Amino acid sequence: MCSPLFEVSGFNSTLWHFSFIPLILDSPSFKILFYAHARMFFPLPSDLMQNRPKMESFHRFRLWVFAFLCLTFQSGNGFYLPGSYPHKYGVGDELSVKVNSLTSIDTEMPFSYYSLPFCKPEGGVKDSAENLGELLMGDRIENSPYRFKMYTNESEIFLCQVDKLSDDQFKILKKRIDEMYQVNLILDNLPAIRFTKKEEYFLRWTGYPVGIKIQEVYYLFNHLRFNVLVHKYEEPNVARVMGTGDAAEMIPPIGKEGSDKPGYMVVGFEVIPCSVLHNADSAKGLKMYNKYPSPMKCDPSTVAMPIKEGQPIAFTYEVTFEESDIKWPSRWDAYLKMEGAKVHWFSILNSLMVITFLAGIVLVIFLRTVRRDLTRYEELDKEAQAQMNEELSGWKLVVGDVFRAPSDPALLCIMVGDGVQILGMAVVTIMFAALGFMSPASRGTLITGMLFFYMILGVAAGYVAVRLWRTIGCGDQKGWISVAWKAACFFPGIAFFILTTLNFLLWGSHSTGAIPFSLFVILILLWFCISVPLTLIGGLFGARAPHIEYPVRTNQIPREIPQQRYPSWLLVLGAGTLPFGTLFIELFFIMSSIWMGRVYYVFGFLFIVMILLVVVCAEVSLVLTYMHLCVEDWRWWWKSFFASASVAIYIFLYSINYLVFDLKNLSGPVSATLYLGYSLFMVLAIMLATGTVGFLSSFWFVYYLFSSVKLD
């Protein structure tokens, strides 16, 4: 119902962020469409027809309701909010190409485009507006000398001829070619895409290689053939389409000057790199954008431009425009389509079914065992209970010690508080990404959103940490400020230490992946001016909230724990295998997206996997806690945390396996150190999040178990 309406008006509803709704609703054409269509669903009361101010107010209310319904009932295929809007270009309008950092899966260290001897724009190099996420990801988007005219084919365009290559320039060019660096171009927010054919299959790549090495000779791709796919911008007469008399009276007449000019939208950007040998003497007198005097043939299967020290290099390009049936909302499909999609979906579905089945069996057995114990015990009379107390075994014997304070209670409270913060950030971020708010078209929004949600959820971290601290201390508020302060600094402090160490390596390599000093200052200010105060505010709420009172009393003298047949830490380490089984397939695709330059955009499946991971972590921790209580081991606090947090160990081992077998070409100790450092950072966050799930579920279970039994 809603999609055709928006398409008729020229404002496709799938293209707009919610923040633009007030601007859209205030536009005259949008009001016209909504007034006409809203009457079919929200007829005006007769008394409002006589009162114009009230009628206008009611009209605006109907607009908001109708917009909300359209955004709510969008179909899954059409709900796409990339953070940008369609740009209509007239024939002959100028299109500017931007350049991003040079990237390579060999080194994982991005470098500036202009660190190589490429042509620079006439007005000088200018940085495009960048957000926090782009800077953290190493993106450096700048202007380039490549420019086109909409729907105007051009060939043999001379760009520039760089001076003779110095020894340093020659060495760095060879190094970048050896390391398989890719040049990334952007047109109308679309990355350049390259197609190659291999054994009857077409492979998609973003960007094009700097050059190629053949028999110890280095060749540079100095001629680019661009193919721009465009889609005609259609804006029909809405009055004719709607066919309502009221709307026809309200729509202004169409026929103004320029309204009938054809317009086009960019829906594809393809590049074919070629190596063409130019005559240095012919290019001497040419200026930028002049036509090259001799014809050239762009054949990607042959190379002809070897690079040599002391030799100038000329750069040229050509562009063709092709009208396509691809519509603007679907122009990212070529980038988001993942290789092996059928295998991906089948593997994820199979994993979800198997893990759900196993978790259900564990849960049913567990609940039946506990319920049978409770029923059997509660059916006895007082004399039988007193007689049975002497013969009790298992979890009933630790009633006076089960809520005894654990070792290092402050550290446990801090880690649980940080785990709540990280888990909340992950859930909210994945939800927004699944709804389309953080698509690849909005570069850096995913990282920016994660930082924003993490800071806001500092309130939850402080609240949980302090309230748990007061619960362990039986209501004592002493030391809650220290706990809240440490919760605000524990995980960010470790992350800051890891990132700073890795940043020094990137600085030493002159990579654009290095965080600038100014950004470091901004991150510190965000940490201490927003995150820390919010965590302290959450701690204040936790200090004022009533603590959780234990259902049983704790004995003064701790009960001796019987000698166990096997070390309990073996169970704790083995418990992480089941949660790891829920995510290892999805983990492969995530790792490939991060380290192999592929686009990951199946956040719906990721959200399902995360829910399943939380359920399995909770169940595994419950089972292990019950097993420890049955052998009269009342030290369940830390063990319940690490029972589910041990999945991080298997993720780190998998990361090492991925480094050895999938990233075989990763070159140099710096690249390997970066990989292991970022993997350690990711594993630490997963450990805190999963450990928190296990601990909170076990705490609830122990509280419920001992509050249901009368042991006085």
Side-chain angles (χ1 to χ4, degrees):
M1 177 183 69
C2 301
S3 297
L5 169 62
F6 281 81
E7 290 175 359
V8 166
S9 65
F11 293 89
N12 192 304
S13 65
T14 62
L15 310 177
W16 292 88
H17 195 280
F18 286 109
S19 59
F20 291 110
I21 290 178
L23 298 178
I24 302 173
L25 295 182
D26 285 332
S27 62
S29 60
F30 215 81
K31 286 183 177 180
I32 293 170
L33 291 168
F34 268 112
Y35 288 154
H37 282 72
R39 280 196 179 184
M40 294 185 292
F41 305 101
F42 309 105
L44 280 174
S46 57
D47 57 334
L48 287 180
M49 297 297 294
Q50 308 298 327
N51 194 326
R52 187 171 184 81
K54 289 184 178 180
M55 186 176 66
E56 292 292 334
S57 175
F58 190 77
H59 269 314
R60 187 164 186 83
F61 171 76
R62 292 194 306 175
L63 294 184
W64 278 97
V65 173
F66 197 75
F68 174 78
L69 291 176
C70 287
L71 292 172
T72 302
F73 294 104
Q74 277 293 341
S75 63
N77 294 331
F79 193 75
Y80 177 58
L81 300 171
S84 57
Y85 56 92
H87 194 158
K88 173 187 172 183
Y89 297 94
V91 176
D93 288 354
E94 185 173 306
L95 300 174
S96 299
V97 177
K98 297 180 180 180
V99 293
N100 204 345
S101 299
L102 306 173
T103 55
S104 170
I105 60 174
D106 251 18
T107 64
E108 302 298 345
M109 289 189 294
F111 289 95
S112 171
Y113 173 83
Y114 293 106
S115 63
L116 296 182
F118 290 140
C119 299
K120 296 183 178 180
E122 292 178 329
V125 179
K126 299 176 182 178
D127 293 333
S128 297
E130 296 170 331
N131 56 46
L132 189 61
E134 283 182 294
L135 293 172
L136 292 175
M137 291 297 293
D139 290 339
R140 297 295 184 272
I141 300 178
E142 300 165 312
N143 60 333
S144 80
Y146 296 102
R147 67 183 188 188
F148 317 138
K149 292 181 180 178
M150 172 57 75
Y151 224 107
T152 305
N153 296 338
E154 297 177 288
S155 61
E156 301 162 0
I157 303 299
F158 175 76
L159 206 57
C160 79
Q161 180 170 277
V162 299
D163 297 332
K164 297 179 180 180
L165 292 178
S166 64
D167 180 58
D168 292 339
Q169 290 176 328
F170 179 64
K171 288 181 179 178
I172 196 171
L173 264 178
K174 292 197 303 180
K175 185 178 181 182
R176 297 291 180 261
I177 293 174
D178 283 333
E179 294 170 340
M180 298 193 303
Y181 269 85
Q182 303 284 318
V183 179
N184 299 295
L185 306 177
I186 302 172
L187 176 65
D188 194 43
N189 206 33
L190 274 182
I193 196 170
R194 176 171 57 97
F195 293 94
T196 58
K197 190 175 182 181
K198 184 178 181 181
E199 299 178 356
E200 304 295 331
Y201 292 99
F202 281 98
L203 301 178
R204 295 181 298 274
W205 309 86
T206 52
Y208 68 91
V210 174
I212 190 172
K213 179 183 178 181
I214 301 177
Q215 297 179 350
E216 302 303 321
V217 179
Y218 293 87
Y219 295 89
L220 183 71
F221 292 119
N222 61 333
H223 178 82
L224 301 180
R225 187 171 76 196
F226 297 105
N227 184 32
V228 182
L229 304 180
V230 296
H231 185 78
K232 193 169 184 180
Y233 185 89
E234 299 176 358
E235 191 171 5
N237 189 332
V238 290
R240 183 179 67 255
V241 174
M242 291 175 357
T244 58
D246 294 333
E249 296 175 0
M250 300 171 65
I251 295 179
I254 299 176
K256 295 181 180 179
E257 185 179 354
S259 62
D260 56 346
K261 289 185 178 180
Y264 296 90
M265 298 176 292
V266 177
V267 295
F269 183 37
E270 303 172 5
V271 60
I272 300 174
C274 299
S275 180
V276 179
L277 183 61
H278 295 108
N279 190 331
D281 295 331
S282 301
K284 275 187 177 179
L286 295 178
K287 295 183 179 180
M288 188 174 287
Y289 308 121
N290 287 159
K291 192 173 182 66
Y292 195 77
S294 58
M296 60 187 71
K297 182 181 180 182
C298 180
D299 186 2
S301 61
T302 61
V303 289
M305 183 60 205
I307 56 173
K308 300 177 182 178
E309 185 179 350
Q311 173 186 352
I313 302 176
F315 291 88
T316 54
Y317 72 95
E318 59 184 282
V319 58
T320 57
F321 287 83
E322 178 184 344
E323 194 162 344
S324 172
D325 294 332
I326 301 173
K327 293 187 178 182
W328 197 89
S330 304
R331 65 177 192 160
W332 273 89
D333 290 355
Y335 304 86
L336 303 181
K337 188 176 181 181
M338 303 180 67
E339 300 296 336
K342 292 183 179 179
V343 177
H344 177 82
W345 307 133
F346 177 77
S347 300
I348 292 295
L349 183 60
N350 182 65
S351 177
L352 293 175
M353 292 177 64
V354 171
I355 297 302
T356 303
F357 179 71
L358 292 176
I361 293 177
V362 171
L363 186 60
V364 169
I365 295 175
F366 173 70
L367 289 179
R368 288 188 62 184
T369 302
V370 175
R371 183 171 297 176
R372 185 175 63 248
D373 286 349
L374 289 176
T375 304
R376 177 188 172 195
Y377 191 82
E378 290 181 352
E379 286 178 352
L380 299 176
D381 55 19
K382 293 184 178 180
E383 293 183 2
Q385 288 183 13
Q387 182 180 359
M388 188 178 177
N389 284 339
E390 300 177 359
E391 303 174 356
L392 285 179
S393 62
W395 58 270
K396 309 174 195 68
L397 292 175
V398 297
V399 62
D401 299 274
V402 69
F403 289 107
R404 189 176 301 281
S407 58
D408 298 322
L411 180 60
L412 179 63
C413 297
I414 292 166
M415 294 177 70
V416 171
D418 283 352
V420 169
Q421 188 176 9
I422 295 171
L423 182 64
M425 173 204 68
V427 171
V428 176
T429 303
I430 294 175
M431 284 182 59
F432 274 87
L435 291 173
F437 286 95
M438 299 176 183
S439 76
S442 303
R443 293 175 182 83
T445 54
L446 187 64
I447 301 297
T448 305
M450 291 174 67
L451 286 174
F452 173 77
F453 293 133
Y454 181 83
M455 289 187 299
I456 296 300
L457 289 170
V459 177
Y463 177 84
V464 172
V466 171
R467 193 173 185 195
L468 180 60
W469 168 256
R470 293 188 61 233
T471 298
I472 294 176
C474 298
D476 188 8
Q477 293 188 359
K478 185 178 180 181
W480 74 266
I481 296 179
S482 175
V483 171
W485 171 258
K486 291 176 181 177
C489 298
F490 179 74
F491 177 72
I494 297 176
F496 188 80
F497 174 77
I498 294 175
L499 295 179
T500 303
T501 304
L502 299 179
N503 210 54
F504 279 118
L505 297 177
L506 293 171
W507 268 336
S509 303
H510 304 287
S511 170
T512 57
I515 302 175
F517 179 76
S518 58
L519 184 57
F520 252 109
V521 175
I522 293 174
L523 291 176
I524 293 175
L525 290 176
L526 291 175
W527 179 10
F528 286 100
C529 297
I530 298 180
S531 181
V532 172
L534 288 177
T535 307
L536 293 175
I537 292 174
L540 178 61
F541 291 152
R544 293 181 176 180
H547 70 281
I548 301 173
E549 296 185 1
Y550 297 144
V552 293
R553 293 190 299 268
T554 301
N555 297 334
Q556 294 183 354
I557 301 176
R559 180 184 179 84
E560 183 179 356
I561 300 174
Q563 186 176 0
Q564 308 298 324
R565 296 180 180 179
Y566 43 83
S568 60
W569 60 267
L570 285 178
L571 282 175
V572 172
L573 291 179
T577 56
L578 192 58
F580 179 73
T582 66
L583 56 80
F584 80 95
I585 295 178
E586 203 70 23
L587 185 62
F588 169 77
F589 288 95
I590 294 174
M591 298 285 281
S592 299
S593 173
I594 296 175
W595 301 109
M596 302 294 287
R598 300 171 185 172
V599 178
Y600 184 88
Y601 201 58
V602 285
F603 291 103
F605 272 94
L606 182 60
F607 187 70
I608 295 174
V609 170
M610 170 166 282
I611 294 175
L612 191 58
L613 175 65
V614 169
V615 173
V616 173
C617 284
E619 292 173 348
V620 165
S621 183
L622 289 181
V623 172
L624 208 65
T625 299
Y626 182 70
M627 292 176 63
H628 282 103
L629 294 179
C630 284
V631 295
E632 303 176 29
D633 186 355
W634 45 266
R635 298 171 301 184
W636 61 272
W637 300 78
W638 282 107
K639 291 176 183 178
S640 65
F641 183 92
F642 285 111
S644 53
S646 60
V647 67
I649 298 175
Y650 298 96
I651 294 177
F652 190 72
L653 293 176
Y654 180 83
S655 301
I656 296 176
N657 173 80
Y658 190 85
L659 172 64
V660 174
F661 294 101
D662 291 276
L663 295 179
K664 299 177 182 178
N665 298 326
L666 198 64
S667 59
V670 175
S671 299
T673 304
L674 288 172
Y675 174 84
L676 293 175
Y678 288 126
S679 299
L680 183 63
F681 171 71
M682 177 184 68
V683 163
L684 177 64
I686 293 174
M687 182 196 75
L688 292 174
T690 54
T692 297
V693 172
F695 171 79
L696 293 178
S697 59
S698 293
F699 184 88
W700 169 83
F701 162 70
V702 173
Y703 184 89
Y704 174 79
L705 180 63
F706 285 91
S707 63
S708 302
V709 181
K710 301 176 183 179
L711 292 171
D712 294 331

